[in-house]
Amino acid sequence: MLYLLKRHPIPIKAFFRHSLVLTYAFPESLLEPLMPPGLVLDTYEGFGFVAIAMVQTQRLRPVFVPQALGQDFFLTGYRIFARFEPAAGRKLRGLRILRSDVNRRLMVWVGNLLTHYKYRKASVALREGREMLDIEIKTPSSPTLPAAPRPSRMALPFGSLVTRGSLRAPYRLHSTMRKRRIQSW
């Protein structure tokens, strides 16, 4: 029964003051050890991908709760692009959760009760300027991401803008206004 509760049965509403998603390409040999049995690293020309999403939410609450009772949080999620390939059926693309950080203890408790995102407490310093957003996140333990040499501009895994655009399509961030779902494991 608790599993059903963690599948987002309660619609949530929030305003995203800031949302920044960074995606990094790593050689697949560095990311494969982070994949659990049953999931396959989603790759392109020998590279796997890690996304780090940082979202400053305001007035986060179940849709039936008044806006005044909403809570403000800063959320950070670390995900690996993955595929689930059952023996029979279609392949599913999604994001393998490495970890999720949040700056409020209440959200750690409620988030872990109602989701499978594995929230941990983090300290977040956000400085906003006219043309600048500086985010500093400190956690008791950092996510286990392998160190990789910084590739030169010519060594990037994408050959053209057309290729880059075609890679984005399966992983568009879902809008809170639509019913589209992205798998997360």
Side-chain angles (χ1 to χ4, degrees):
M1 186 61 141
L2 186 58
Y3 175 78
L4 294 175
L5 185 62
K6 292 188 176 215
R7 299 307 301 172
H8 304 285
I10 302 169
I12 300 295
K13 187 172 186 175
F15 175 76
F16 288 178
R17 179 161 173 78
H18 296 291
S19 178
L20 175 64
V21 179
L22 305 171
T23 304
Y24 296 92
F26 289 93
E28 61 186 288
S29 61
L30 293 175
L31 297 178
E32 282 177 339
L34 300 174
M35 301 303 293
L39 293 183
V40 177
L41 186 65
D42 206 348
T43 63
Y44 178 78
E45 295 187 4
F47 288 88
F49 303 94
V50 174
I52 301 170
M54 295 168 274
V55 181
Q56 182 182 16
T57 66
Q58 293 179 322
R59 301 177 302 277
L60 185 129
R61 67 206 182 274
V63 293
F64 53 84
V65 171
Q67 180 175 318
L69 297 177
Q71 299 292 308
D72 297 345
F73 300 101
F74 191 91
L75 309 162
T76 307
Y78 304 85
R79 313 291 190 255
I80 296 179
F81 290 58
R83 291 189 320 268
F84 176 65
E85 299 178 348
R90 65 183 188 138
K91 298 176 183 178
L92 301 173
R93 287 186 142 148
L95 300 171
R96 160 74 167 128
I97 297 170
L98 292 177
R99 78 182 266 173
S100 304
D101 298 324
V102 64
N103 67 337
R104 302 269 311 270
R105 289 196 196 285
L106 175 65
M107 185 60 180
V108 170
W109 183 78
V110 173
N112 288 335
L113 178 68
L114 298 177
T115 73
H116 56 280
Y117 293 153
K118 306 173 192 169
Y119 286 108
R120 295 181 187 185
K121 175 75 169 70
S123 172
V124 177
L126 187 119
R127 290 172 291 286
E128 190 175 350
R130 244 179 94 195
E131 295 182 16
M132 179 268 309
L133 181 63
D134 183 45
I135 303 169
E136 182 180 348
I137 302 165
K138 293 181 183 176
T139 59
S141 60
S142 298
T144 310
L145 296 177
R150 185 182 175 111
S152 69
R153 189 168 184 82
M154 298 305 289
L156 292 176
F158 310 111
S160 70
L161 288 173
V162 173
T163 304
R164 280 184 230 152
S166 64
L167 273 177
R168 280 196 308 260
Y171 299 107
R172 288 194 184 116
L173 289 176
H174 64 85
S175 166
T176 55
M177 304 304 280
R178 291 181 284 159
K179 296 284 184 184
R180 181 181 170 135
R181 293 183 69 97
I182 291 179
Q183 295 291 324
S184 58
W185 302 287

